[in-house]
Amino acid sequence: MLTNPPLSLYIHIPWCVRKCPYCDFNSHAIKNLKSDQQTEFDLPEQAYIDRLIEDLEQELPKVWGRRLHSIFIGGGTPSLFSPASLDRLLSAIRARLPFENDIEITMEANPGTFEAEKFRGFRQAGINRLSIGVQSFNATHLEQLGRIHNPEQAIAAAEFAHEAGYDSFNVDLMHGLPNQTVEQALSDLEIAISLKPHHISWYQLTLEPNTLFHQQPPQLPHDEVLWDIQEAGQALLAQHGYQQYETSAYAKDATLRAKHNLNYWRFGDYLGIGAGAHGKITRLDLGEVHRTTKKRHPKDYLQGSVNEISNDMPIPTSELPFEFMLNALRLIDGVPMSVFSQYTGLSLSTIQPTLQQAIDDGLIDNNPSQLKPTEKGALFLNELLERFLINYNSSESINIINLS
């Protein structure tokens, strides 16, 4: 029987200082307004906060009576906005939706926008977790990736996250960078570990469509080097007490795992507000699971009536098994088998033949109570997930491994 999973909220802020050549997210470089004393950015900050609040109001009838489990403010570079604006936004959300007592509120932050006083303001506004987009501590690699910060700024941002009293913070790191050696990849990890973050996201650079790197591919390490980086890096993280719980996520202990991302991977619900934001909502009143999308370009999102910015469609029943597995099988420990029926409304018999074949092939654990990939299944996750693609007719291309 279909039941409501936990509810999260994703807020998209689409502007950044400069578009990185590997980035396929909905982000837009903004103009710098330079004077002799300072650099300011041409941001419609207040108008965008107003529209986010209106956007949320439009979504509320779908989730009456439910409490927010987590909030994630992503981008783009949300840390370009002022603490006062984010305080106004969070206050407006709090007035419209009740929060769980232990709600996790995460904001993505770019070390190149790091200002001590500003980050104290974000903490005072109620943001209790940062995700710091470091990517590398190597100056040459940062330049190749188009990042606006240097290694010293990345280190300073992580150190200040401790000083400012954030309950938790994540360091985002990439590996498999242009011409990167095993030694360079491990050096990045060693520096990150020395900064004592509560959580590390460590994932391989991929060349996504509609990016500069896809059009002009850099020289990436050979597969043998990538494999050596992966094995050595995972061993190093484990040696320092970082437990892998998802394809690219490592936490010091279970209490420091990213609640918001775990809700995605467990096929939880989330409202999505902001330009290009996606949402997934269980509609018990209709007996359906819905996807929502918002107009992608910031100008289109800001213009016109608020009821024109959103699209809401049920996920076809034939696509639900893949949508569920796409998330759940990323988790090292998987999910309870019962969750499939509860969160999709489908009988387990719907996937039984495919599931049994995956068990027979050693890709999924033979455990009647837990849906969990084996080590082999995690290693060949793309191939495992493709088995559940039958009758999947999404109009959007899906990168199975590199979801954010």
Side-chain angles (χ1 to χ4, degrees), residues 10 30 51 153 236 302 335 377 383:
Y10 175 76
I30 55 176
R51 179 46 58 103
Q153 288 173 310
L236 181 64
L302 284 167
V335 297
E383 295 175 26

mmCIF file of all heavy atoms in Angstrom, residues 10 30 51 153 236 302 335 377 383:
data_model
loop_
_atom_site.group_PDB
_atom_site.id
_atom_site.type_symbol
_atom_site.label_atom_id
_atom_site.label_comp_id
_atom_site.label_asym_id
_atom_site.label_seq_id
_atom_site.Cartn_x
_atom_site.Cartn_y
_atom_site.Cartn_z
ATOM 1 N N TYR A 10 14.170 20.941 -1.694
ATOM 2 C CA TYR A 10 15.351 21.386 -2.431
ATOM 3 C C TYR A 10 15.100 22.789 -2.964
ATOM 4 O O TYR A 10 14.047 23.061 -3.562
ATOM 5 C CB TYR A 10 15.688 20.448 -3.588
ATOM 6 C CG TYR A 10 16.853 20.973 -4.419
ATOM 7 C CD1 TYR A 10 18.157 20.870 -3.941
ATOM 8 C CD2 TYR A 10 16.650 21.623 -5.628
ATOM 9 C CE1 TYR A 10 19.220 21.386 -4.657
ATOM 10 C CE2 TYR A 10 17.707 22.144 -6.357
ATOM 11 C CZ TYR A 10 18.994 22.015 -5.872
ATOM 12 O OH TYR A 10 20.045 22.541 -6.574
ATOM 13 N N ILE A 30 27.208 35.146 -13.655
ATOM 14 C CA ILE A 30 26.651 36.487 -13.474
ATOM 15 C C ILE A 30 27.691 37.546 -13.792
ATOM 16 O O ILE A 30 28.883 37.279 -13.814
ATOM 17 C CB ILE A 30 26.128 36.679 -12.032
ATOM 18 C CG1 ILE A 30 27.239 36.368 -11.028
ATOM 19 C CG2 ILE A 30 24.918 35.840 -11.778
ATOM 20 C CD1 ILE A 30 26.848 36.619 -9.606
ATOM 21 N N ARG A 51 10.072 35.142 -5.417
ATOM 22 C CA ARG A 51 9.510 34.115 -6.289
ATOM 23 C C ARG A 51 9.638 32.723 -5.661
ATOM 24 O O ARG A 51 8.737 31.896 -5.814
ATOM 25 C CB ARG A 51 10.197 34.181 -7.656
ATOM 26 C CG ARG A 51 9.742 33.140 -8.708
ATOM 27 C CD ARG A 51 8.232 32.975 -8.834
ATOM 28 N NE ARG A 51 7.495 34.153 -9.160
ATOM 29 C CZ ARG A 51 6.998 34.448 -10.371
ATOM 30 N NH1 ARG A 51 7.216 33.643 -11.388
ATOM 31 N NH2 ARG A 51 6.278 35.538 -10.555
ATOM 32 N N GLN A 153 42.409 29.074 -0.098
ATOM 33 C CA GLN A 153 41.027 29.463 0.207
ATOM 34 C C GLN A 153 40.187 28.241 0.575
ATOM 35 O O GLN A 153 39.319 28.318 1.455
ATOM 36 C CB GLN A 153 40.419 30.188 -0.989
ATOM 37 C CG GLN A 153 40.957 31.592 -1.210
ATOM 38 C CD GLN A 153 40.449 32.200 -2.508
ATOM 39 O OE1 GLN A 153 40.522 31.582 -3.574
ATOM 40 N NE2 GLN A 153 39.927 33.414 -2.423
ATOM 41 N N LEU A 236 42.286 4.504 1.958
ATOM 42 C CA LEU A 236 42.744 5.637 2.768
ATOM 43 C C LEU A 236 41.599 6.209 3.599
ATOM 44 O O LEU A 236 41.765 6.502 4.792
ATOM 45 C CB LEU A 236 43.330 6.715 1.857
ATOM 46 C CG LEU A 236 43.873 7.976 2.543
ATOM 47 C CD1 LEU A 236 45.056 7.637 3.446
ATOM 48 C CD2 LEU A 236 44.286 9.021 1.500
ATOM 49 N N LEU A 302 11.438 33.907 -13.314
ATOM 50 C CA LEU A 302 11.080 35.146 -12.617
ATOM 51 C C LEU A 302 9.938 35.898 -13.289
ATOM 52 O O LEU A 302 9.255 36.689 -12.633
ATOM 53 C CB LEU A 302 12.306 36.058 -12.532
ATOM 54 C CG LEU A 302 13.356 35.666 -11.495
ATOM 55 C CD1 LEU A 302 14.651 36.443 -11.724
ATOM 56 C CD2 LEU A 302 12.843 35.888 -10.087
ATOM 57 N N VAL A 335 18.126 -0.895 1.156
ATOM 58 C CA VAL A 335 16.930 -0.452 1.881
ATOM 59 C C VAL A 335 16.100 -1.676 2.247
ATOM 60 O O VAL A 335 16.232 -2.733 1.620
ATOM 61 C CB VAL A 335 16.070 0.515 1.029
ATOM 62 C CG1 VAL A 335 16.826 1.790 0.711
ATOM 63 C CG2 VAL A 335 15.593 -0.157 -0.261
ATOM 64 N N GLY A 377 27.605 -6.291 -7.466
ATOM 65 C CA GLY A 377 26.527 -5.431 -7.967
ATOM 66 C C GLY A 377 26.878 -3.961 -7.886
ATOM 67 O O GLY A 377 26.562 -3.179 -8.793
ATOM 68 N N GLU A 383 25.146 -1.791 -15.081
ATOM 69 C CA GLU A 383 24.574 -2.992 -15.690
ATOM 70 C C GLU A 383 23.416 -3.532 -14.861
ATOM 71 O O GLU A 383 22.415 -4.013 -15.408
ATOM 72 C CB GLU A 383 25.657 -4.059 -15.838
ATOM 73 C CG GLU A 383 26.768 -3.668 -16.815
ATOM 74 C CD GLU A 383 27.885 -4.689 -16.863
ATOM 75 O OE1 GLU A 383 27.625 -5.877 -16.573
ATOM 76 O OE2 GLU A 383 29.027 -4.304 -17.180
#
